[in-house]
């Protein structure tokens, strides 16, 4: 880590002006950034601490919830309105990291966290297009058990490691941004981008912009009858191999609404829009759930080390939907 | 520009790269808090920040400015007596080499607060109602951020159960 200056932002305007400086980086909990700076994967001349900015939940007139970007992951998971209306979001948060890390991690930092690809971290020993554009990708012929099966490119097959974002994608949450050119909102599902030829570009965030809040839309029955299931190598404190955030509304035996997103399979939280569309109006049966999952995964391109993820994702989607259908009946 | 540590105020280090862990160990000689992985993976460096458990290895000291830090050194009574959980760790053989112990103890003390508050965990069956109580399953899940390479987990869980059992719900 090179020497750096530390500033505490007291309000949004200060965060934006300090954050606009060359070499300046925002810091939330620091659970990802401090690690990356220390390992020389990233660098900064100035850190702007945004963790003391808006950290509460506000209910908007139409019933939507606005969650301040500096809210801690633990506080969001434990919030009664989130537990009651959007269980998949609480569950996703509680399945991530450890209690200590959830107490530190902010909502904004969680969205912006970077991949856990081991070659991305290995500054001295590995080639990585994301870290060093056009240098190559050692994951391609190497250890790629944790890598993408959907939306990867010849340049990069890394996954986005966030659990929270998978639930946010399934909930169709909006990301509120502020920057030098004003404010805008972007759907969470469009906030992260696929690697293509430029895996160093991971989101649509512009220079000098920051995340100020996320907006959870007014809860629908499928958002409330929802679950998050994470499959991992040990039962706690491990990143996902595959995860599924799903919600289901069944009316008179037929699927009125299905919401499905996948984690651990792509460079972004993967909203399974094909599966959702395939299910609309069908009876809520295991056969239909499996067929819809199959439909979503037809374009999967597994690597040598992660072919198992295709079947694992299919079965996990079906199992979660089945359990949600059962709870309704 | 100070940080309160175990009740006394200390200036924030001028070098902003210094982690809270390095400040405690290298600058203040508070070596009870342990350095394990230095990357968030083991929990040996757990301390309480404004009463909540955090990892001091991934916290920059500057981030703790104006806040209240409690370390293992701050747990003993004014007369030097051990905290009840420290005694329970000894009674239940909750340690072998002892390296993870300060982190385990700080973590468990904050965990007790989270349970009392009714915060749910990954294994809580009814999310809205909250945890049914300090079951073994709840304790193990909630303590998963503290690894013990000696495998003293059974004793650790028993010691924590004793502490929670003795507390008003
Ligand atoms: C051992 C370990 C295990 C983990 N396991 C999991 C897991 O199982 N599941 C999971 O989902 N996560 C896991 N994590 C990752 C953890 O969730 C993230 O590190 C955390 O959410 C990042 O939040 P932060 O506030 O600490 O971000 P920081 O480290 O402070 O920042 C991360 C990035 O976000 C940027 N940033 C911060 N705030 C803003 C803002 N308001 N606007 C724009 N940019 C911003 C920073 O500049 C930086 O680039 C794990 C982490 C560790 C260390
Ligand atoms: S998968 Fe992406 S992050 Fe991993 S080595 Fe290849 S380019 Fe780098
Ligand atoms: S030393 Fe902090 S988590 Fe391992
Ligand atoms: S007692 Fe040795 S690491 Fe836990």
């Amino acid at each position: 880590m090179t020497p750096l200056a530390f500033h505490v932002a007291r309000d949004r305007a200060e965060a934006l002006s300090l954050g606009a400086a060359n070499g300046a980086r925002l810091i939330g909990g620091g659970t990802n950034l401090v690690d990356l700076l220390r390992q020389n994967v990233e660098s900064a001349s100035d850190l702007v601490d945004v963790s003391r900015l808006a950290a509460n939940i506000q209910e908007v007139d139409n019933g939507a919830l606005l969650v301040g970007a500096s809210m801690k992951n633990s506080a969001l998971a434990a919030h009664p309105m989130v537990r009651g209306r959007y269980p998949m979001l609480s569950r996703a948060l509680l399945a991530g990291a450890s209690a200590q890390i959830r107490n530190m991690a902010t909502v904004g930092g969680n969205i912006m966290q970077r991949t856990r690809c081991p070659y991305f971290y290995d500054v001295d020993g590995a080639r990585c297009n994301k870290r060093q554009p056009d240098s190559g990708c050692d994951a391609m012929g190497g250890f790629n058990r944790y890598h993408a099966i959907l939306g990867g490119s010849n340049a990069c097959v890394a996954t986005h490691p966030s659990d929270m974002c998978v639930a946010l994608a399934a909930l169709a949450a909006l990301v509120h941004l502020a920057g030098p050119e004003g404010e805008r909102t972007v759907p969470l599902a469009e906030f992260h981008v696929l690697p293509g030829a430029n895996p160093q570009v991971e989101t649509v965030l512009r220079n000098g912009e920051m995340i100020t809040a996320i907006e959870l839309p007014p809860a629908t029955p499928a958002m409330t009858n929802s679950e998050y299931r994470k499959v991992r190598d040990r039962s706690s404190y491990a990143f996902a191999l595959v995860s599924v955030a799903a919600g289901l509304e069944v009316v008179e035996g037929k699927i009125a609404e299905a919401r499905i997103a996948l984690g651990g399979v792509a460079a972004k939280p993967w909203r399974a829009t094909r599966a959702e569309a395939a299910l609309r109006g069908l009876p809520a049966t295991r056969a239909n759930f499996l067929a819809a999952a199959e439909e979503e995964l037809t374009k999967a391109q597994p690597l040598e080390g992660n072919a198992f993820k295709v079947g694992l994702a299919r079965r996990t989607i079906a199992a979660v939907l089945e359990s949600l259908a059962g709870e309704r009946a | 520009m100070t940080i309160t540590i175990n009740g006394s105020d200390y200036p924030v280090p001028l070098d902003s790269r210094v982690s809270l862990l390095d400040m405690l160990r290298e600058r203040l000689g508070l070596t009870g808090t342990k350095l394990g992985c230095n990357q968030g993976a083991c929990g040996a460096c757990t301390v309480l920040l404004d009463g909540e458990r955090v990892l001091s290895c991934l916290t920059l000291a500057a981030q703790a400015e104006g806040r209240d830090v409690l370390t293992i050194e701050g747990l003993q009574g004014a007369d030097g007596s051990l905290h009840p959980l420290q005694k329970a760790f000894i009674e239940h053989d909750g340690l072998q080499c002892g390296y993870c112990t300060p982190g385990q103890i700080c973590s468990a003390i904050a965990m007790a607060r989270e349970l009392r508050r009714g915060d749910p965990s990954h294994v809580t069956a009814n999310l809205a109602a909250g945890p049914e109580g300090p079951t073994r399953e709840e304790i193990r899940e909630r303590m998963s951020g503290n690894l013990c390479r000696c495998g003293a987990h059974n004793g650790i869980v028993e010691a924590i159960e004793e502490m929670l059992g003795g507390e008003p719900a």
Side-chain angles (χ1 to χ4, degrees):
Chain A
M1 219 195 282
T2 48
L4 44 79
F6 192 92
H7 317 272
V8 176
R10 274 158 305 181
D11 54 40
R12 182 194 294 183
E14 205 173 64
L16 284 173
S17 69
L18 290 166
N22 224 353
R25 297 291 303 276
L26 304 184
I27 180 168
T31 59
N32 193 212
L33 186 59
V34 168
D35 194 21
L36 291 167
L37 290 172
R38 201 176 272 155
Q39 309 216 28
N40 292 316
V41 179
E42 297 204 24
S43 61
S45 59
D46 294 73
L47 292 182
V48 180
D49 184 354
V50 293
S51 69
R52 302 184 194 217
L53 303 185
N56 55 348
I57 294 192
Q58 259 178 283
E59 181 158 19
V60 198
D61 287 343
N62 64 356
L65 297 185
L66 264 185
V67 180
S70 298
M71 190 161 190
K72 303 293 187 194
N73 287 191
S74 50
L76 182 58
H79 198 284
M81 287 199 275
V82 178
R83 282 151 73 176
R85 300 182 200 176
Y86 312 98
M88 66 161 101
L89 178 55
S90 276
R91 290 280 183 208
L93 285 157
L94 293 171
S98 66
Q100 289 95 318
I101 293 171
R102 294 192 293 272
N103 276 339
M104 303 164 72
T106 60
V107 165
N110 189 315
I111 296 173
M112 293 298 293
Q113 67 171 300
R114 308 200 66 192
T115 187
R116 291 281 159 174
C117 172
Y119 305 106
F120 174 66
Y121 269 81
D122 187 1
V123 172
D124 299 321
R127 293 173 304 164
C128 169
N129 288 323
K130 188 188 278 298
R131 177 166 36 76
Q132 179 77 54
D134 299 320
S135 65
C137 168
D138 276 344
M140 293 294 178
F143 177 80
N144 47 39
R145 177 175 168 76
Y146 284 92
H147 291 69
I149 54 169
L150 289 165
S153 72
N154 291 332
C156 179
V157 287
T159 51
H160 191 260
S162 168
D163 291 296
M164 177 187 80
C165 289
V166 182
L168 292 181
L171 291 169
L174 299 173
V175 186
H176 286 236
L177 305 172
E181 283 138 48
E183 300 179 17
R184 61 181 181 128
T185 57
V186 178
L188 186 280
E190 289 162 30
F191 184 77
H192 300 94
V193 297
L194 292 175
N198 297 301
Q200 72 281 9
V201 180
E202 295 170 354
T203 70
V204 299
L205 196 74
R206 298 180 192 138
N207 241 344
E209 259 184 336
M210 64 182 285
I211 301 171
T212 55
I214 50 169
E215 181 179 338
L216 305 174
T220 64
M223 294 183 190
T224 300
N225 180 40
S226 71
E227 222 185 89
Y228 185 76
R229 196 170 296 186
K230 178 174 179 181
V231 185
R232 40 187 161 170
D233 279 330
R234 60 180 184 200
S235 60
S236 189
Y237 204 13
F239 287 97
L241 288 164
V242 163
S243 69
V244 174
L248 193 69
E249 184 192 10
V250 180
V251 179
E252 291 168 3
K254 303 255 167 67
I255 295 162
E257 187 180 32
R259 293 176 168 271
I260 308 167
L262 308 176
V265 297
K268 56 186 288 185
W270 190 269
R271 180 97 190 251
T273 47
R274 290 162 149 249
E276 291 179 0
L279 285 170
R280 210 159 294 133
L282 294 188
T285 62
R286 179 168 172 84
N288 285 334
F289 296 148
L290 276 171
E294 187 84 50
E295 171 81 18
E296 189 66 44
L297 294 160
T298 45
K299 293 226 172 106
Q301 287 185 303
L303 305 157
E304 215 174 300
N306 69 7
F308 70 92
K309 280 192 181 183
V310 182
L312 185 60
R314 186 179 58 238
R315 291 188 304 274
T316 310
I317 294 171
V320 172
L321 292 173
E322 235 187 333
S323 127
L324 291 171
E327 273 161 36
R328 272 274 128 152
Chain B
M1 293 291 278
T2 59
I3 306 173
T4 306
I5 298 168
N6 300 333
S8 307
D9 289 349
Y10 299 91
V12 178
L14 290 175
D15 185 342
S16 304
R17 293 172 295 182
V18 175
S19 66
L20 179 57
L21 177 61
D22 283 345
M23 176 183 179
L24 294 170
R25 290 182 56 85
E26 310 294 334
R27 308 208 166 194
L28 304 181
L30 292 169
T31 52
T33 307
K34 298 299 184 231
L35 166 66
C37 64
N38 216 27
Q39 49 187 20
C42 74
C45 64
T46 303
V47 298
L48 305 192
L49 187 62
D50 290 338
E52 306 290 347
R53 47 183 168 164
V54 300
L55 301 175
S56 60
C57 72
L58 291 183
T59 303
L60 295 176
Q63 290 172 281
E65 192 256 310
R67 301 202 155 129
D68 201 67
V69 177
L70 186 70
T71 71
I72 191 78
E73 289 91 348
L75 285 183
Q76 62 185 16
D79 58 353
S81 60
L82 293 180
H83 184 279
L85 184 59
Q86 290 177 306
K87 287 185 195 148
F89 261 67
I90 296 168
E91 278 158 30
H92 292 274
D93 287 331
L95 65 150
Q96 284 179 36
C97 77
Y99 201 78
C100 70
T101 315
Q104 301 275 7
I105 288 178
C106 288
S107 189
I109 286 171
M111 184 204 64
R113 234 180 95 169
E114 295 161 13
L115 267 172
R116 277 199 304 271
R117 215 160 44 200
D119 293 355
S121 84
H122 173 63
V123 299
T124 303
N126 186 329
L127 199 57
E132 275 171 33
T135 61
R136 245 167 195 254
E137 199 193 5
E138 283 283 2
I139 293 173
R140 291 176 64 91
E141 162 61 24
R142 287 167 192 266
M143 291 299 292
S144 72
N146 292 84
L147 307 190
C148 172
R149 63 180 178 177
C150 298
H153 297 97
N154 288 337
I156 293 171
V157 173
E158 281 163 22
I160 295 173
E161 276 181 318
E162 179 180 311
M163 170 182 72
L164 293 171
E167 272 189 8

